[in-house]
Amino acid sequence: MIDMLCSAAESEPSEENVSKCEMKHFKNLTAPKLQAFIIARHPTFKTKASISHLKKPRTALKDAEEGKSNLLSVACYSFCIARSKDQRHQSITVNSRSGMVTALVVCC
């Protein structure tokens, strides 16, 4: 997964270089890969059943940028939460009602 994200961001594969990824790079991941990413990194979504309501429509990037919850927005949010433990320079805006990312230029 790290390899795919870094490749999309035209960076050498490493956990550190994933921080160069933008939401648009996550859109290249398939729904099953996004699900695995969320389950591995999200603080509360730890099972496939807990994210079964999330989908990856063709409009996932546009929808996520508009603040709609889908696999793409939650995967990016999960990444930011995981990275925020180490780095606090995030470019995210979180919707107070849904808790989902509404604006994300660079994940972290």
Side-chain angles (χ1 to χ4, degrees):
M1 185 110 37
I2 299 297
D3 292 348
M4 294 169 108
L5 286 169
C6 288
S7 175
E10 299 177 1
S11 300
E12 291 294 318
S14 74
E15 187 74 31
E16 184 177 314
N17 283 339
V18 173
S19 65
K20 297 176 183 172
C21 292
E22 298 176 18
M23 190 183 292
K24 65 183 179 184
H25 300 125
F26 280 81
K27 81 174 178 107
N28 296 324
L29 299 177
T30 63
K33 290 195 184 307
L34 289 168
Q35 290 169 337
F37 190 87
I38 292 166
I39 291 167
R41 296 182 183 239
H42 196 278
T44 56
F45 294 144
K46 294 294 183 188
T47 65
K48 200 167 185 179
S50 67
I51 59 172
S52 62
H53 65 287
L54 298 170
K55 307 296 179 211
K56 186 185 178 215
R58 289 185 183 152
T59 58
L61 180 60
K62 181 178 177 263
D63 293 347
E65 289 172 341
E66 292 175 356
K68 297 176 183 168
S69 296
N70 59 35
L71 286 172
L72 186 64
S73 64
V74 175
C76 260
Y77 177 73
S78 301
F79 177 67
C80 287
I81 292 297
R83 293 289 290 174
S84 70
K85 294 175 185 170
D86 300 323
Q87 298 176 358
R88 297 260 176 217
H89 56 281
Q90 300 175 4
S91 297
I92 63 172
T93 304
V94 178
N95 180 308
S96 60
R97 283 180 46 182
S98 69
M100 293 297 111
V101 173
T102 56
L104 181 60
V105 178
V106 177
C107 273
C108 295

